[in-house]
Amino acid sequence: MIKRLLIANRGEISLRIQKTCKKLGIETVAVYSDADKDAPFVKAADFSYYLGESEPSKSYLVIPNILKAVRETGADAVHPGYGFLSEKAEFARELSKAGISFLGPKPETVDLMGDKIRSRAAMEKAGVPVVPGYEGDSQEHTVLLKEAERIGFPIMIKASAGGGGKGMKRVFSKEEFLPSLESAQREAGNAFGDPRVFLEKYIINPRHIEVQVFGDSSGKVIHLFERECSIQRRHQKVVEESPAPNLSSELKQKICEVAVKAASSIGYLGAGTVEFILGEDGAFYFLEMNTRLQVEHPVTESVTGFDLVEWQIRIAEGISIEKFTGGKSPSQSGHAIEVRLYAEDPENEFLPSIGKIELAKFPEIQNVRVDSGVVTGSEVSLYYDPMLSKVIGIGKTREEARKNLIAGLEETIIFGPITNLNYLKAILEHSEFVKGNTDTHFLEKHKIDWEESGEEKEALMRTASFLANRTVKTSSVWEAVGPNGVWGEIS
């Protein structure tokens, strides 16, 4: 049984994992860099260990430093969170050599699913539908052009070792192909150290549907239903929900069954997500498999009632899925919608907005869950992803969950860095979102009217004027607007 767990990550996900560990009586070890020395996740852990400088390449991504932290703190297991080393087979392999339990799949599985060409081939072999394309060894431009013509335009060029939209190009004609190919290979080489690409048929108006799966050491694999993650900006998810709206029960069941087939074919262990692209005609294809916990796991937890981090821990301890479920098939109940609250400026190409959070106030209302990594006084730096928190609305129906989430956002206050809060609220209020009409081009096709109304701007001006007057009586404006300052008077 795991007694002390080191969390090889930071921020919101570290706090999320610690919450389950405290429930299970497992001690936690937080690792941190210079920039995070005063962060909430460090203070909340039972133990903490300094890794190095603020740059991830000098702290969170240094495998020998993490291994040293494991040895010196006496941890007997490691949870990688997501990002950083969570999908690095080398990390899982080094932990295995040291006799430390890794809360993730086997290293060879991480290797296989991290290579998009090999994983496509593996899925085809298992009978899982993949998007028509080319994943051959040749990277000669003449060969790739010939294959593109065979598949038929439009097509997608994708980096073999890719993720997050890097090295990905959409090509509509033969004339665009070679310049786009050179650009994709250059981006892939710079981002991943691997310039190889593969080709896929471009699906018109696609939806992004993914399925949460779990496998245990006995070889049993089950699914915990689907999530809709179609609303994306530059291939990054913005809104996630479960169940997927406007999807027939027959199609949902079929997608989930194929996800289990995909995971079973590679002897999957632990938590994973099988991602599919769904066309307008109802045909769906394997996109990729993420071999870790997903950012959007709370929506699955909300509709199944299961604690997915607890499942990860118990499966690593050798406990069977049968034990969690009592031999019954998991059920899906109600609806949940999650949005990602970022310190970024929608008015300025969504550039990260850094600085001290002078006031952070999150909703404490029924049927709204907040997974946050920041508090009043936290610093948002350029070293890390600027996600501040996830806000999740839960309800008996999709509409109830949507309204609860909007209510939660309306009670959220972040004073300091600029955030995308109003932008998120406007997406949830868009008439096409209300109808559940989503696809991956939603934010390109629809105008998101997120700017403050005239009345809101007037209220802000009054507040700013009031604060300016207050500053003459205090040492700084921040003293005036802090938790013990003016906010209580104007709320």
Side-chain angles (χ1 to χ4, degrees):
M1 300 293 280
I2 295 171
K3 294 180 179 175
R4 185 173 296 176
L5 180 73
L6 183 143
I7 303 163
N9 215 294
R10 61 178 299 282
E12 169 269 327
I13 188 57
S14 178
L15 284 167
R16 164 68 192 91
I17 295 163
Q18 289 180 39
K19 184 179 177 184
T20 293
C21 287
K22 289 183 193 308
K23 180 179 75 175
L24 300 178
I26 296 172
E27 294 177 327
T28 55
V29 179
V31 292
Y32 65 96
S33 68
D34 283 330
D36 282 334
K37 62 181 185 300
D38 297 319
F41 77 91
V42 179
K43 294 177 180 175
D46 295 304
F47 305 94
S48 60
Y49 189 94
Y50 173 68
L51 280 182
E53 297 176 39
S54 302
E55 293 89 343
S57 62
K58 296 178 180 176
S59 50
Y60 296 106
L61 291 173
V62 184
I63 293 176
N65 283 7
I66 302 283
L67 291 172
K68 187 179 175 189
V70 171
R71 285 194 302 272
E72 294 190 0
T73 60
D76 49 11
V78 169
H79 193 303
Y82 40 68
F84 292 143
L85 299 172
S86 62
E87 293 183 283
K88 290 284 184 189
E90 180 191 353
F91 183 46
R93 203 169 281 121
E94 290 298 319
L95 288 170
S96 177
K97 283 182 194 171
I100 303 298
S101 178
F102 173 69
L103 271 65
K106 299 167 191 168
E108 52 268 31
T109 306
V110 179
D111 261 338
L112 175 64
M113 290 294 108
D115 185 320
K116 289 185 168 51
I117 292 176
R118 288 177 59 214
S119 62
R120 266 178 63 93
M123 291 300 105
E124 276 189 298
K125 187 178 177 184
V128 173
V130 300
V131 180
Y134 168 76
E135 64 274 359
D137 291 333
S138 177
Q139 293 290 298
E140 291 293 329
H141 287 191
T142 51
V143 173
L144 290 167
L145 175 58
K146 189 176 177 182
E147 290 296 329
E149 291 179 307
R150 176 185 62 78
I151 296 163
F153 293 99
I155 64 159
M156 290 290 286
I157 302 173
K158 292 185 173 182
S160 173
K166 292 184 175 63
M168 186 183 294
K169 302 291 174 187
R170 193 167 54 192
V171 186
F172 288 91
S173 68
K174 179 181 177 181
E175 290 70 31
E176 295 174 18
F177 183 76
L178 287 178
S180 298
L181 174 62
E182 289 171 356
S183 175
Q185 289 178 324
R186 189 166 51 248
E187 273 185 29
N190 290 337
F192 311 112
D194 181 354
R196 291 178 305 148
V197 297
F198 63 99
L199 310 180
E200 275 184 357
K201 179 72 179 171
Y202 176 63
I203 308 297
I204 305 291
N205 294 327
R207 293 173 67 181
H208 181 121
I209 306 291
E210 61 185 32
V211 180
Q212 177 72 59
V213 295
F214 267 89
D216 68 17
S217 54
S218 75
K220 182 176 180 62
V221 175
I222 68 164
H223 71 82
L224 291 179
F225 306 99
E226 85 287 358
R227 294 186 288 255
E228 165 107 38
C229 304
S230 294
I231 297 190
Q232 304 177 1
R233 191 178 62 77
R234 296 176 188 164
H235 306 291
Q236 297 286 353
K237 297 166 187 170
V238 178
V239 181
E240 301 109 339
E241 62 183 301
S242 184
N246 300 335
L247 210 60
S248 72
S249 56
E250 293 78 14
L251 186 51
K252 286 182 190 182
Q253 185 177 350
K254 193 174 176 185
I255 292 174
C256 290
E257 286 174 355
V258 170
V260 170
K261 181 179 183 179
S264 299
S265 72
I266 55 173
Y268 199 79
L269 180 68
T273 300
V274 186
E275 300 191 341
F276 296 98
I277 188 168
L278 172 66
E280 292 177 312
D281 58 357
F284 63 92
Y285 308 97
F286 172 83
L287 265 183
E288 63 178 342
M289 184 172 190
N290 288 310
T291 54
R292 55 174 167 75
L293 195 67
Q294 293 282 89
V295 175
E296 56 269 28
H297 75 274
V299 297
T300 296
E301 293 186 323
S302 298
V303 298
T304 63
F306 294 121
D307 179 335
L308 300 195
V309 175
E310 181 178 358
W311 277 46
Q312 287 186 292
I313 291 169
R314 294 313 186 203
I315 283 174
E317 292 174 334
I319 295 174
S320 70
I321 288 172
E322 293 282 326
K323 183 91 173 177
F324 299 120
T325 61
K328 298 177 182 175
S329 296
S331 60
Q332 191 180 33
S333 177
H335 202 103
I337 307 174
E338 172 184 294
V339 292
R340 303 183 185 192
L341 181 62
Y342 270 84
E344 61 183 15
D345 185 0
E347 269 192 294
N348 195 15
E349 296 294 321
F350 293 90
L351 285 176
S353 175
I354 62 171
K356 184 177 180 181
I357 297 177
E358 300 295 341
L359 179 66
K361 181 176 178 295
F362 294 107
E364 294 180 7
I365 55 180
Q366 193 173 13
N367 291 325
V368 174
R369 169 175 166 175
V370 178
D371 283 16
S372 179
V374 299
V375 295
T376 297
S378 293
E379 290 280 349
V380 180
S381 77
L382 279 176
Y383 294 113
Y384 313 116
D385 184 287
M387 188 172 78
L388 303 177
S389 66
K390 304 179 299 197
V391 186
I392 303 102
I394 303 157
K396 291 178 184 173
T397 64
R398 183 174 188 267
E399 181 60 8
E400 194 174 301
R402 188 185 72 86
K403 287 181 176 175
N404 286 336
L405 179 52
I406 290 171
L409 292 176
E410 286 176 342
E411 291 205 7
T412 299
I413 297 172
I414 299 291
F415 197 85
I418 299 167
T419 75
N420 63 345
L421 193 147
N422 283 336
Y423 182 76
L424 295 173
K425 188 165 162 284
I427 293 172
L428 298 173
E429 291 173 334
H430 195 282
S431 59
E432 292 302 310
F433 181 83
V434 174
K435 295 174 189 170
N437 293 334
T438 65
D439 62 55
T440 58
H441 304 308
F442 185 92
L443 297 179
E444 298 168 25
K445 292 193 296 190
H446 302 299
K447 183 179 187 314
I448 307 301
D449 189 13
W450 59 273
E451 291 184 90
E452 292 89 354
S453 67
E455 289 181 358
E456 288 171 324
K457 285 181 178 175
E458 190 179 334
L460 285 172
M461 290 296 289
R462 285 200 303 271
T463 302
S465 174
F466 180 70
L467 295 178
N469 290 331
R470 292 275 299 201
T471 57
V472 299
K473 301 177 184 177
T474 58
S475 60
S476 73
V477 66
W478 306 123
E479 182 184 335
V481 301
N484 300 315
V486 73
W487 283 101
E489 299 172 32
I490 62 173
S491 60

